[in-house]
Amino acid sequence: MKTLLTSTTLIASLMTTAVNANDNLDSIIVAAKKEGAVYSVGMPDSWANWKDTWVDLSNIYGLKHQDTDMSSAQEVAKFAAEKHHATADIGDVGFAFARVAVKQGVTQAYKPSTWDSIPNWAKDQDGHWALAYTGTISFISNNNLVKNPPKSWDDILTGDYRVTVGDVGIASQANNAVLAAAFAHGGSEKNLKPAIKFFAELAKQGRLSLNDPGLANLEKGEVEVAILWDFNALSYRDKIDRNRFTVSIPQDGSVISGYTTIINKYAQNPNAAKLAREYIFSDQGQINLAKGYARPIRDNVTLPASIQAKLLPAEQYSNVHPVTNFKAWEKSTRKLPRQWQENVLIHIK
C-alpha cells in the first residue's frame, strides 16, 4: 500500500515527474498562484469527492475555488455562449459531451505529467480531454420502501415501486441510464428503442417518477428506486445511512463510462485550470476521486484498503459495456430529448 504524500512531497513529486513531460509545469504553477483562483462548473463538492481536491489545491497552491453545478450540456453551452467573458475555467462533462465540446471549439489542450498512464481509449490524442474516473449505471433502493431491491432491469419492470431516472436528454447520468437499459435489452448506441420501450412501459404503469434522484430527496424518503452512477449511489448511501439503501449493478447489462475535465478555451484563469487537471491525475487526485466512490482511470495507483472496501465487489461488473460507437451515441443523444418526450413522458399523467 502506498503512503499518502505530504503536501511538500507532493509538490516536489509533481514538478519532478512533470518537467520531463511538460517543461512548462513550473511556470504554470507560478502563473496559477498569481491567478489565485479556479472557477469550475459541474464539479460540486459532493460529486465524486471533488471537495478534497479543491481543499488540496487551496492548501498547496493557495487557489480559491467556486463551483456552479450544472449538467454536461449546460457546461458546454456556457463555454460557447460566454466566450471571452468566461466565468468558468474548467468543467467536468460526460464522455459523450467531450467530443461535442471540442467540435464547438470551446476547449484548450493540456496533457498532465501522468498522461502516459491514462488508457488511450480514455483520452484525446491532442490533450483536449481525458477521463479522470469511470462510472457504471447502478440502482439504489430505499430498503424501507422497497421489499425486494432490484438486481436487474427485468426486476424493475415487474416491481411495484416508483423509479426515478433524472433529466433524460439533458444530464449525462440520465442519458447513460437509458443506454444501459438499451444494452440490457439488445439495443446499442445506435438503437435506443428497447430502452425507450422499457421506460414507456414504466410510465404507462404509473411507476416512472419525475423526482430529482439527488441526495436530498433520497434522504427525505421521496425516492424509492433511482438509477444513478455507482459513485453517486454509493456516496449517497453512506452519507444518509448505509443500512437504509441497497446499491447494485444491473446484472442483465449496464454501461461503464466516465467523466472528463474540459478546460475552457476562454478561461480567465487558464493556468489554475491546467494545474487543477495536473492534480486530478496525480496519485493523490485519483485517490481523492476513489474516496468519492469513483473508480480512478489510472490503474497504477494503489488505493488504501479502507477506500477499496467502500466500492462494490468486482464481480458485480461482469456484464457492463463501454461505449464503442461514439458517433452513433452522439447522434442518439441529440435525438433523445424528443424521443423521450414523445414516447415516454406522454404517458405520465
Side-chain angles (χ1 to χ4, degrees), residues 171-244:
S172 182
Q173 177 174 248
N175 289 351
N176 276 276
V178 174
L179 181 58
F183 281 156
H185 295 94
S188 66
E189 300 94 332
K190 194 174 184 176
N191 176 23
L192 300 182
K193 289 181 180 179
I196 297 296
K197 180 180 178 182
F198 174 89
F199 285 107
E201 179 59 31
L202 273 184
K204 290 175 185 177
Q205 293 178 16
R207 297 178 47 228
L208 185 62
S209 170
L210 298 182
N211 274 354
D212 172 37
L215 178 65
N217 282 339
L218 281 162
E219 187 168 15
K220 287 186 289 186
E222 295 182 0
V223 173
E224 294 174 277
V225 173
I227 305 172
L228 302 171
W229 290 120
D230 53 354
F231 57 85
N232 278 334
L234 291 167
S235 173
Y236 296 164
R237 177 199 69 182
D238 287 1
K239 282 182 178 178
I240 302 170
D241 180 352
R242 190 182 183 94
N243 296 319
R244 186 172 152 192

Side-chain angles (χ1 to χ4, degrees), residues 73-345:
Q74 291 169 333
E75 291 177 48
V76 176
K78 181 180 178 69
F79 285 11
E82 292 183 346
K83 290 189 167 60
H84 295 286
H85 301 287
T87 58
D89 304 309
I90 190 171
D92 189 45
V93 298
F95 204 176
F97 288 91
R99 290 164 175 79
V100 174
V102 174
K103 281 184 179 179
Q104 291 196 15
V106 297
T107 63
Q108 59 176 293
Y110 179 72
K111 296 180 180 180
S113 58
T114 49
W115 189 254
D116 289 345
S117 62
I118 302 170
N120 288 332
W121 67 268
K123 61 188 178 184
D124 169 59
Q125 62 179 1
D126 296 320
H128 283 273
W129 56 264
L131 269 65
Y133 57 101
T134 63
T136 299
I137 289 297
S138 69
F139 304 145
I140 181 169
S141 307
N142 186 325
N143 297 330
N144 295 338
L145 304 173
V146 179
K147 293 181 180 179
N148 297 304
K151 294 181 172 58
S152 69
W153 296 97
D154 286 348
D155 286 348
I156 281 186
L157 206 56
T158 58
D160 59 358
Y161 38 77
R162 287 169 63 80
V163 179
T164 182
V165 67
D167 293 325
V168 172
I170 298 175
S172 182
Q173 177 174 248
N175 289 351
N176 276 276
V178 174
L179 181 58
F183 281 156
H185 295 94
S188 66
E189 300 94 332
K190 194 174 184 176
N191 176 23
L192 300 182
K193 289 181 180 179
I196 297 296
K197 180 180 178 182
F198 174 89
F199 285 107
E201 179 59 31
L202 273 184
K204 290 175 185 177
Q205 293 178 16
R207 297 178 47 228
L208 185 62
S209 170
L210 298 182
N211 274 354
D212 172 37
L215 178 65
N217 282 339
L218 281 162
E219 187 168 15
K220 287 186 289 186
E222 295 182 0
V223 173
E224 294 174 277
V225 173
I227 305 172
L228 302 171
W229 290 120
D230 53 354
F231 57 85
N232 278 334
L234 291 167
S235 173
Y236 296 164
R237 177 199 69 182
D238 287 1
K239 282 182 178 178
I240 302 170
D241 180 352
R242 190 182 183 94
N243 296 319
R244 186 172 152 192
F245 296 94
T246 295
V247 178
S248 61
I249 305 297
Q251 294 302 291
D252 45 358
S254 189
V255 60
I256 182 170
S257 188
Y259 279 72
T260 167
T261 55
I262 52 172
I263 298 175
N264 194 343
K265 177 181 179 179
Y266 308 100
Q268 301 299 302
N269 302 295
N271 295 289
K274 291 174 182 176
L275 186 56
R277 177 178 283 179
E278 181 70 41
Y279 190 82
I280 288 165
F281 285 95
S282 71
D283 283 10
Q284 186 57 53
Q286 293 281 282
I287 289 171
N288 284 348
L289 290 167
K291 285 172 68 178
Y293 307 89
R295 291 179 179 262
I297 195 65
R298 290 179 50 219
D299 61 10
N300 59 341
V301 177
T302 302
L303 300 179
S306 60
I307 295 175
Q308 187 71 56
K310 294 163 68 175
L311 305 178
L312 291 175
E315 55 264 26
Q316 286 238 6
Y317 296 83
S318 61
N319 195 16
V320 301
H321 311 277
V323 172
T324 56
N325 190 338
F326 291 102
K327 288 185 178 179
W329 179 224
E330 186 180 331
K331 288 181 181 178
S332 292
T333 54
R334 288 201 301 267
K335 296 176 182 176
L336 187 53
R338 184 171 180 176
Q339 286 182 310
W340 189 256
Q341 180 69 42
E342 294 180 349
N343 298 285
V344 178
L345 296 186

